[in-house]
C-alpha cells in the first residue's frame, strides 16, 4: 500500500462511520415502521438487513483496497462522497416505495406470505446502497492502520472503541436532537452533508 493516511485520519473516518451508520439506522427504524408495519417486525427486519449489508461492505473493502490501495486517503474520500449519493438514492427509494406500496400490495392481498416477502425484499433493496457503502469505511480504515500488523489486538480494540463512540453519539444526537428538530428526511440529509464535507 502507498500513501496510507495518518492514524488520526483513519480513526476520524472510523468515528464518522459509526456516527453515520447508527444515526441512519435510527432514522430508518422509523421509515421501516411505515413500509414494514409492526414496529417489532420492522426493527428486526431492519437490523438483519443492516448487519448483512455491513458484511457486504466489509467484503467490498478488501476488493477496493486491492484495486485502489495506491492512495487510501483518496479512496476514503471517494467512498464518503459516494455515501452521500447512496444516502440520496436510498431516500428516494423509500419515498417511491411508500407512494407505490399500497397499490402494489393490493394485488397481493390474498397471500400474506408473499406480502411479507415483498416488504422484506424491498426493504433490503432500498437500504443496500446506503449501508453497503458505509459498511466499507470501518474495515478499510482498520486494515490500513500502520499498527495493525504489529499490534493487531490493541489496534482493533482502539478502532472499535472509536467506532462505538461515533455510533453512540450518532444514535443519541439523531434520536434526541436531529429527528425532533429536523424530522426524518432532514436528519438523513444532515448526515449525508456531514459525510460529504468530511469526504
Amino acid at each position: 500500500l502507498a500513501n496510507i493516511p495518518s492514524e488520526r485520519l483513519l480513526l476520524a473516518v472510523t468515528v464518522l462511520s459509526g456516527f453515520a451508520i447508527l444515526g441512519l439506522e435510527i432514522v430508518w427504524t422509523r421509515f421501516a415502521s411505515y413500509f414494514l408495519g409492526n414496529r417489532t417486525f420492522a426493527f428486526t427486519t431492519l437490523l438483519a438487513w443492516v448487519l448483512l449489508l455491513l458484511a457486504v461492505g466489509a467484503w467490498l473493502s478488501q476488493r477496493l483496497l486491492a484495486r485502489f490501495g495506491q492512495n487510501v486517503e483518496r479512496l476514503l474520500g471517494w467512498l464518503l462522497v459516494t455515501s452521500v449519493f447512496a444516502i440520496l438514492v436510498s431516500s428516494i427509494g423509500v419515498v417511491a416505495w411508500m407512494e407505490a406500496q399500497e397499490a402494489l400490495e393490493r394485488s397481493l392481498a390474498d397471500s400474506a406470505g408473499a406480502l411479507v416477502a415483498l416488504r422484506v425484499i424491498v426493504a433490503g433493496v432500498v437500504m443496500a446502497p446506503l449501508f453497503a457503502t458505509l459498511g466499507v469505511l470501518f474495515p478499510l480504515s482498520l486494515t490500513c492502520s500502520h499498527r495493525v500488523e504489529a499490534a493487531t489486538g490493541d489496534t482493533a480494540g482502539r478502532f472499535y472503541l472509536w467506532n462505538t463512540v461515533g455510533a453512540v453519539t450518532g444514535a443519541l444526537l439523531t434520536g434526541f436532537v436531529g429527528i425532533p428538530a429536523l424530522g426524518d428526511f432532514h436528519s438523513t440529509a444532515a448526515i449525508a452533508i456531514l459525510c460529504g464535507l468530511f469526504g
Side-chain angles (χ1 to χ4, degrees):
L1 293 177
N3 300 316
I4 297 175
S6 70
E7 197 82 354
R8 283 184 181 177
L9 179 61
L10 293 173
L11 286 170
V13 170
T14 297
V15 171
L16 180 62
S17 165
F19 183 96
I21 288 170
L22 256 290
L24 289 167
E25 191 175 340
I26 296 293
V27 176
W28 277 76
T29 300
R30 291 169 58 87
F31 288 159
S33 66
Y34 290 115
F35 59 82
L36 290 172
N38 177 297
R39 205 159 180 88
T40 304
F41 175 69
F43 179 75
T44 53
T45 302
L46 177 87
L47 184 59
W49 274 118
V50 168
L51 293 174
L52 178 64
L53 292 168
L54 292 179
V56 169
W59 178 81
L60 282 172
S61 71
Q62 290 305 308
R63 273 97 198 130
L64 290 170
L65 189 61
R67 177 106 191 245
F68 304 106
Q70 303 85 353
N71 192 329
V72 176
E73 194 169 317
R74 182 175 292 168
L75 175 59
L76 288 169
W78 276 111
L79 283 167
L80 285 164
V81 171
T82 302
S83 71
V84 175
F85 293 102
I87 293 167
L88 178 64
V89 167
S90 290
S91 298
I92 290 169
V94 104
V95 170
W97 174 243
M98 286 177 183
E99 290 175 354
Q101 182 177 9
E102 189 178 336
L104 189 58
E105 288 186 351
R106 249 187 255 119
S107 64
L108 298 172
D110 296 337
S111 173
L115 191 62
V116 169
L118 176 67
R119 289 178 176 181
V120 169
I121 290 166
V122 168
V125 169
V126 170
M127 292 165 53
L130 162 63
F131 288 105
T133 304
L134 288 171
V136 173
L137 295 173
F138 174 75
L140 186 63
S141 298
L142 174 60
T143 302
C144 292
S145 170
H146 299 282
R147 305 179 58 210
V148 76
E149 287 186 25
T152 305
D154 178 60
T155 305
R158 244 169 8 99
F159 273 74
Y160 275 112
L161 170 68
W162 285 107
N163 185 254
T164 303
V165 167
V168 171
T169 305
L172 291 174
L173 282 178
T174 303
F176 291 110
V177 178
I179 292 172
L182 303 172
D184 297 336
F185 284 104
H186 288 113
S187 295
T188 302
I191 293 171
I193 290 167
L194 180 65
C195 290
L197 289 173
F198 196 86

